[in-house]
Structures are given as structure tokens and as C-alpha cells.
Amino acid sequence: MIVLGLESSCDETAAAIIDNGRILANVISSQLDAHKVFGGVVPELAARMHLEALHPLLRAVTAEAGIEPGAIDLICATRGPGLIGALLIGFAAGKAIAWALDKPFVGVNHVEAHMYANFLTETPPKPPLTCLTVSGGHTDLFFLPTVGRFELLGSTRDDAAGECIDKSARVLGLGYPGGPAIEKLAAQGRVAFKLPRPVIEGSLDFSFSGLKTAVINLCHRLTQQGLELPRADLAASIQEAVVSGLISQLRAAAVAHQAGTIMLSGGVAANGQLRNRAAALADELGAAFHVPPAALCTDNAAMVACAGLYHYEMHGPDSLGLGVDPGLRPGK
Ligand code: KG4
Ligand code: ZN
């Protein structure tokens, strides 16, 4: 099946065409530079920029895939969670294309789509699976007894891991988004600062707001003392605190559910240290390990097309009367 996926939940407008699990074209128009000056995503600006980007992107994705619009069998667009104005642009466009081409349409959950990025391969993961989905907006641990069933085991009670990384990067003067910059700088530093563990002991939940505040307070204290920030050591310490917390809860979840497969997904899963430590954990537990290539960890539309295809095969098409849902939870 030839599937068109559209993604517009936050600050990336993306379109992709896949042929079953194979990516034919995967194009992204990033709004990063526009939002950078504000230190975060401005929702109204994001929605307007999606509108401007979408049409050229659709032309680019069909040209790159060498596909006429009429050859598309299924259209999928992100339904939620995300920024409502941003979601509406890609979702309305997807429904309009489906209506015009008289083809089926599926509304996709963005967090599920991050997990389905692992299925864009010839050897997809085999359930039962334990999956850590970790991005700028989400930090969730899921158990998947079968493909398409998502049991939430644990979640963040406040900030997402990516939010904590991005705000920490901001106080280090690294700009937005902070993840790649923190990772690069951390490689030149050592873990010199003891920071709070971002987990809720005795549960599979996370809490990143304490770590975020501790980093901000530490940087202010050092600055007030007239000291130059040891930025590489701070980056290494932040990365270590985030990755250790994520891995310890992933370990507890994988052990409790005896899942034969461990999976990572979401933008923070692009982090090399997290990938290495999760691979080592899977090795230790004798589990298979899957993580998408870094470019498919951050927001993209190939994962949306893949999630939509699985959804369509299990549940059939959605009605064109379906609306977006900014607070959509996986499995709903
Ligand atoms: O999945 P994503 O692209 O968007 C959301 O759905 O939120 O995730 C973006 C998040 C940002 O917080 C960004 O700083 C983080 O992923 N990120 C990273 C890395 N690359 C992106 N965090 C740590 N290390 C990275 N290499
Ligand atoms: Zn995302």
C-alpha cells in the first residue's frame, strides 16, 4: 500500500510517502529558526507556518517519491496530542486530500507514531514489548502485549525529559532545541555535579521538574559567585542524570513485564548515550533491542504514515467527520 503521512503537531511540517514499511520520500520543513528567537515554540506562529509550508511540501514529497497523487492508497495525518492550531492545519489538509482523491483517511496519535518509527524496517520489533517514549512533550513507559495495544506503565508527573533538557540548555546559553547541543558539549565534560534523580521511587513514574530547577539554581549560584559556568561538566552531569533516570525506570519496567523486546522512541532517543545504555540493558536482560535511526526519532511524517497503516489494517478508515484532539492519549 502506498501511504501518505502528514505531521504538523508542533514545529515541524512534515510529509512522507511509504510503500508498506519502506520509505519512498520523507520531507520536513523545520520552523526552528523562527521559534529560536523566542526560546520555545510560539503556537500561533507554528500554525501559520504550517499553512505556508504544506503545499510546497506536498509537491516535494510526491516528486521525490515519483508518485502521482492518484497512486496514493491511504492518507494519514496526526490527530493529537499537540498544539491545536498546528494540528488543525495538517489534519484538515489530510482529510481534504482523502476526500478529493476518494481514498481512506486515518487520524494518527503522535506518541504512538513515535513508537511506530521502529516498524519502518524489514525486521519490525516483535511483541511483547517494553517501550520508552521520550520527547519534548512526553516521557512515557508502555507495555505492548501485541502490536496496536498500549498499556501505560509510567509517565512523567510534571515536565517531559526533553523539556528539562531544553530548559537546562537555555541556562547554559545553548539555544533551542537543547538536546543535540547538550549531547555535543557533554562529550567534552565529566560528570562533576550530583543532580536529583528524575524518578518517583517505588513507581515507574518520572519527575523532571526538580532536576530542571536544580540545574537553573546551580547555574544562578555559580554565576552569583562570579564563576564562569563549567558548561561542559554541567552538560555531562545533566545528560547523566536524565539518562540514568530513564534507564533505571526502563530496566524496572522490562524486568517486571519480562518483555522479550525493548524499544526506544521520541526525539530524546536520538541521544547516543541513551541509545548505548538501552542497548546494553537489553543485552544484559537477553532482550531484543530496537531504536529508530536518529533522524526518525525526532518528529517526521514517515512514522505517521507507518502508524496510520497499522491502524488502518487493524481498525479500517476513520470518518472524515473526525476532529483533532490536543490531549489525545495512546490507545484511545
Ligand atoms: O519527538 P520530538 O522531535 O518532538 C516532540 O514530540 O516533542 O522531540 C524533541 C525533543 C527536544 O526536547 C530535543 O531537545 C530532544 O528531543 N532531542 C534530544 C536530542 N535530539 C533531540 N535530546 C537529547 N539528545 C539528543 N541528541
Ligand atoms: Zn514528537
Side-chain angles (χ1 to χ4, degrees):
M1 262 184 114
I2 305 285
V3 187
L4 170 68
L6 298 177
E7 158 61 34
S8 71
S9 65
C10 191
D11 58 348
E12 322 272 9
T13 325
I17 295 178
I18 65 168
D19 180 356
N20 290 308
R22 196 163 58 91
I23 299 174
L24 300 183
N26 187 26
V27 295
I28 301 179
S29 167
S30 177
Q31 306 177 357
L32 266 187
D33 288 341
H35 296 289
K36 228 174 206 163
V37 283
F38 302 104
V41 179
V42 182
E44 173 63 26
L45 182 60
R48 275 191 257 160
M49 291 189 74
H50 285 309
L51 199 53
E52 283 166 19
L54 204 59
H55 208 213
L57 215 58
L58 283 166
R59 286 195 190 288
V61 79
T62 43
E64 198 177 310
I67 292 283
E68 289 296 323
I72 295 167
D73 299 306
L74 172 69
I75 293 95
C76 311
T78 302
R79 183 180 172 221
L83 304 168
I84 188 162
L87 286 166
L88 279 168
I89 307 299
F91 199 71
K95 289 198 293 183
I97 294 166
W99 181 73
L101 296 176
D102 196 20
K103 294 290 167 70
F105 172 78
V106 168
V108 169
N109 182 304
H110 180 87
V111 177
E112 286 180 20
H114 272 300
M115 293 187 247
Y116 277 106
N118 280 293
F119 289 72
L120 287 161
T121 160
E122 281 172 11
T123 50
K126 288 196 181 73
L129 295 148
T130 304
C131 184
L132 173 67
T133 300
V134 62
S135 71
H138 306 275
T139 304
D140 296 317
L141 266 169
F142 288 100
F143 177 64
L144 285 74
T146 56
V147 176
R149 269 190 59 200
F150 304 91
E151 293 175 10
L152 186 63
L153 303 176
S155 201
T156 179
R157 297 208 185 161
D158 39 60
D159 295 329
E163 150 85 11
C164 171
I165 292 171
D166 291 341
K167 287 284 150 55
S168 302
R170 196 160 148 182
V171 290
L172 296 184
L174 296 175
Y176 172 84
I182 288 261
E183 181 172 8
K184 204 165 154 209
L185 197 57
Q188 299 156 32
R190 61 187 183 90
V191 182
F193 297 94
K194 193 160 167 41
L195 295 166
R197 265 166 62 75
V199 301
I200 306 279
E201 303 293 347
S203 81
L204 291 176
D205 284 345
F206 302 91
S207 168
F208 284 92
S209 66
L211 172 57
K212 182 178 84 175
T213 308
V215 171
I216 294 169
N217 289 346
L218 175 61
C219 290
H220 284 171
R221 210 167 49 244
L222 292 169
T223 309
Q224 271 170 1
Q225 288 167 3
L227 300 169
E228 197 176 319
L229 288 182
R231 298 191 327 150
D233 287 353
L234 283 165
S237 307
I238 294 159
Q239 181 175 260
E240 169 61 23
V242 170
V243 171
S244 294
L246 292 173
I247 291 292
S248 77
Q249 296 297 61
L250 178 59
R251 170 193 292 277
V255 168
H257 282 77
Q258 298 186 332
T261 307
I262 289 175
M263 240 166 54
L264 290 182
S265 65
V268 180
N271 184 275
Q273 184 152 355
L274 179 61
R275 297 165 81 90
N276 291 342
R277 299 260 291 267
L281 172 67
D283 207 31
E284 180 196 321
L285 299 179
F289 176 63
H290 290 261
V291 62
L296 293 177
C297 285
T298 46
D299 288 348
N300 66 86
M303 68 184 195
V304 175
C306 187
L309 176 58
Y310 273 85
H311 190 282
Y312 180 72
E313 282 169 351
M314 286 181 280
H315 309 290
D318 283 329
S319 151
L320 291 185
L322 191 70
V324 297
D325 182 349
L328 191 66
R329 297 296 297 160
K332 298 285 177 275

